[in-house]
Amino acid sequence: MKSIKIFAPATVANLSCGFDVLGCCLDTIGDEMVISLTPESGVKITKIDGANLPMETHKNVAGVAVEALLNTYGKNIGVEIEIYKKIKAGSGIGSSAASSAGAVWAVNYLLDTPYTPEELVKFAMEGEKLASGNAHADNVAPALLGGFTLVRSYSPLDVIKLNTPKDLLMTVIHPQIEVKTSDSRSVIKHNVSLKQAIQQWGNLGGLVAGLFTEDYNLIGRSLEDVIIEPMRSILIPEFNTVKQAAIAKGALGCGISGSGPSIFALSKGIDTANNVAEAIREVYHKTGLDFDIHVSKINSQGVKVIE
């Protein structure tokens, strides 16, 4: 029985101006998974530790994603999956994406990599479809490719890995409340004004340019969301206060991580990232809510073998 243990990283999606198309991969937060090829065909979830998630293959995002891969692979393969959850469901830092991406990456590895990381994105998206009703790639793409990624197109799927400036760090606060992706999507308006669209396109282009030129000031100016954040931020306690505190301590920008409730802040340098973390911690201590804070480098590799 071939088996590997992997680290399946957390991710931050949208990055303010890139709803459903931008994401980046974190380095210090993630799940662990053990994936095995077995003589008996079919996909089985044999263990889940750290979360109350479905064991049935067709109800589990990892199981659904692997089945999508195997259906395309076209051979009778047996797969067993153990999931050790460290990313809380509904946290906004890619819990379902970590399971989906980690599972397909590991199976692909055990099968001697018949698919590229870009091709694996489509399989992992099936897990995201199960989790939220929408097959989005802004979390699974950076988990599989590492670093920052851009989904240029969904039809046909076209994912581009962007440059990662070496001094960029992410500070993330996760308030211990759950905001389901499906609920967070329900508050979004389906029509925007041309003025808003132009402003958002400019910020998206500016952020991509800033990443490639490693212009930190341009990155900061571009971390602006005039479409989604105004609606979603009302679901997150003290969002505006956290954002102001982070910027005051030198963060390049601050916004909602994925569908929330986590909030991210991008900073240049570890000292600034830690100062931002302390400022955010002070804000949330006053709320009486439990919370976690993470400071992480950007993970340029994505999913990786740990044993």
Side-chain angles (χ1 to χ4, degrees):
M1 186 168 70
K2 294 174 68 176
S3 180
I4 56 169
K5 187 175 183 180
I6 62 160
F7 172 78
T11 47
V12 171
N14 301 340
L15 297 169
S16 295
C17 57
F19 178 69
D20 272 7
V21 298
L22 275 182
C24 72
C25 187
L26 302 183
D27 192 48
T28 57
I29 321 159
D31 295 339
E32 294 179 0
M33 305 177 75
V34 176
I35 311 293
S36 307
L37 297 187
T38 66
E40 184 180 345
S41 63
V43 181
K44 295 180 181 178
I45 312 295
T46 58
K47 184 176 182 180
I48 299 176
D49 183 73
N52 183 22
L53 297 172
M55 297 288 288
E56 299 93 335
T57 301
H58 69 286
K59 295 181 179 179
N60 186 288
V61 297
V64 167
V66 170
E67 285 188 330
L69 185 156
L70 294 181
N71 287 339
T72 300
Y73 189 65
K75 296 181 182 179
N76 289 328
I77 302 291
V79 176
E80 291 186 356
I81 302 172
E82 298 177 20
I83 304 171
Y84 300 86
K85 292 299 293 182
K86 308 290 178 66
I87 311 170
K88 293 184 174 70
S91 60
I93 52 174
S95 179
S96 61
S99 295
S100 301
V104 297
W105 187 95
V107 170
N108 189 57
Y109 181 93
L110 291 170
L111 295 175
D112 297 323
T113 60
Y115 301 107
T116 66
E118 291 82 0
E119 290 171 328
L120 291 177
V121 170
K122 197 163 189 176
F123 304 132
M125 286 171 63
E126 291 302 309
E128 294 289 71
K129 185 177 180 180
L130 175 65
S132 68
N134 183 58
H136 55 97
D138 48 349
N139 287 105
V140 294
L144 288 164
L145 276 67
F148 289 85
T149 57
L150 169 70
V151 184
R152 189 205 64 81
S153 167
Y154 275 94
S155 183
L157 186 65
D158 187 4
V159 178
I160 302 162
K161 183 169 182 176
L162 308 176
N163 183 57
T164 300
K166 62 181 177 63
D167 292 332
L168 271 185
L169 281 98
M170 188 75 76
T171 303
V172 178
I173 179 168
H174 171 215
Q176 299 298 302
I177 59 172
E178 183 175 352
V179 176
K180 292 183 178 179
T181 302
S182 54
D183 293 340
S184 188
R185 282 183 174 273
S186 69
V187 303
I188 298 172
K189 295 178 181 177
H190 290 273
N191 296 298
V192 299
S193 69
L194 181 60
K195 181 180 179 180
Q196 289 175 312
I198 291 169
Q199 196 170 347
Q200 201 87 337
W201 294 332
N203 283 323
L204 178 57
L207 181 53
V208 171
L211 291 172
F212 275 107
T213 59
E214 304 201 1
D215 184 334
Y216 292 92
N217 287 330
L218 176 56
I219 291 170
R221 297 199 305 275
S222 304
L223 288 169
E224 179 188 30
D225 180 2
V226 298
I227 296 175
I228 307 299
E229 184 179 293
M231 290 174 281
R232 281 186 167 174
S233 60
I234 61 175
L235 302 175
I236 305 171
E238 299 296 335
F239 172 79
N240 290 323
T241 308
V242 165
K243 185 172 183 176
Q244 292 167 7
I247 299 297
K249 285 295 183 179
L252 298 171
C254 182
I256 302 169
S257 177
S259 58
S262 287
I263 304 168
F264 80 89
L266 267 181
S267 299
K268 181 182 180 182
I270 185 64
D271 291 340
T272 301
N274 284 331
N275 289 338
V276 168
E278 187 56 38
I280 293 173
R281 183 177 288 109
E282 289 179 8
V283 171
Y284 255 80
H285 269 313
K286 298 173 184 177
T287 66
L289 293 171
D290 291 331
F291 60 91
D292 295 322
I293 291 184
H294 309 280
V295 176
S296 175
K297 293 180 180 179
I298 307 302
N299 173 358
S300 60
Q301 180 178 354
V303 182
K304 58 187 176 183
V305 178
I306 53 176
E307 282 186 17

